[in-house]
Amino acid sequence: MAKAASSKKNKKQAATAEPQVSATSGSGPRTLAVDIGGTGVKTMLLDEVGKPLTDRLRAKTPDPATPKAVIAIIADFAKELGDFDRVSVGFPGVIKKGVVYTAANLDKKWIEFPFADELSKALGKPVRVANDAVVQGLGGVSGIGVELVITLGTGMGAGLYIDGVPIPSLEMGHHPFRGHKTYEDYLGRRALAREGRKKWNKRLKEAIDQLFGVFYYDRLFIGGGNAAKITMKLPKNAKIISNEDGILGGIKLWERDQDELRQ
Ligand code: BGC
């Protein structure tokens, strides 16, 4: 499915703020959607409504997961996937105006790294970056009332939306859950592997109750690779969202006003 990249795409230059639609992209802009996780880097091309145009390419997150190593993977995938006009990235940490401030499950070199600018230089296209859970939620929430998104993967991500607008940098995963231990300590990938599904599900139930007590959300959405490990009965106002919702969030990142997203 993937096509060879045009040489134009690889120009190492800063891109303009708004994407130019390439002649080959059909009726609307094509987006290179990237999801960076603690275990995998995933990339695919989407059309203007978020429909996949290619397979989803996945590589293991490099170790050490430095900015240079991660950007190299994205650049290789971009070449393989073919023409695109703009890039959206879900990143597992705090992002403000394209700059990374935390990266709990990646290399420390990410701290204060101007990721959006650097990736834009590497790919020659405009780039928008937001927290991975925020991106996932943008594709999944209804846009009405108070909605909470949590993602269960290597870490625990969270996004809180008021009428569809995310509040910046919730980072619920690093908040104490029990004693000095955080939600991520109890519900992240390592905890699931260590404790097993049954115990992890019991903890998840407890966490959901606790989060409801804090936010009184109207709806809760649960995404991430380990959402598939949920066996407990979810409350009526909670639902699992798919990877596709997360991918659609990559398109929403371009549809929304960046100032409103504060990412
Ligand atoms: C990070 C969050 C991220 C989550 C899921 C946490 O460790 O701090 O920013 O959303 O992992 O990737």
Side-chain angles (χ1 to χ4, degrees), residues 35-38 91-95 102-105 131-134 151-159 169-174 184:
D35 180 42
I36 301 171
F91 182 88
V94 172
I95 303 285
T102 71
N105 295 303
N131 174 266
D132 54 356
V134 167
T151 60
L152 301 169
T154 304
M156 184 187 114
S169 320
L170 182 62
E171 290 298 306
M172 201 64 213
H174 301 293
E184 188 158 306

Side-chain angles (χ1 to χ4, degrees), residues 141-243:
V141 298
S142 74
I144 300 163
V146 178
E147 298 178 286
L148 181 70
V149 174
I150 59 171
T151 60
L152 301 169
T154 304
M156 184 187 114
L160 183 67
Y161 301 77
I162 317 294
D163 291 337
V165 181
I167 67 143
S169 320
L170 182 62
E171 290 298 306
M172 201 64 213
H174 301 293
H175 193 80
F177 172 52
R178 282 191 206 151
H180 292 298
K181 298 268 185 195
T182 64
Y183 282 83
E184 188 158 306
D185 292 333
Y186 274 91
L187 293 167
R189 175 170 51 96
R190 288 172 206 93
L192 175 60
R194 194 177 56 238
E195 310 291 349
R197 242 192 215 207
K198 200 167 164 201
K199 197 159 173 191
W200 182 84
N201 267 275
K202 223 173 129 218
R203 287 173 171 182
L204 180 61
K205 186 185 173 327
E206 210 181 300
I208 290 175
D209 290 347
Q210 199 160 299
L211 290 170
F212 183 68
V214 175
F215 297 109
Y216 272 78
Y217 48 73
D218 298 306
R219 276 167 298 283
L220 170 70
F221 299 91
I222 308 174
N226 287 338
K229 305 277 163 54
I230 297 177
T231 51
M232 57 156 291
K233 195 171 176 321
L234 291 173
K236 278 205 181 71
N237 61 354
K239 119 175 195 213
I240 293 176
I241 48 174
S242 65
N243 276 337

Side-chain angles (χ1 to χ4, degrees), residues 71-95:
I71 287 177
I73 289 178
I74 299 171
D76 279 354
F77 279 164
K79 259 189 227 163
E80 208 174 314
L81 288 170
D83 259 353
F84 56 91
D85 306 287
R86 59 192 190 182
V87 183
S88 65
V89 187
F91 182 88
V94 172
I95 303 285

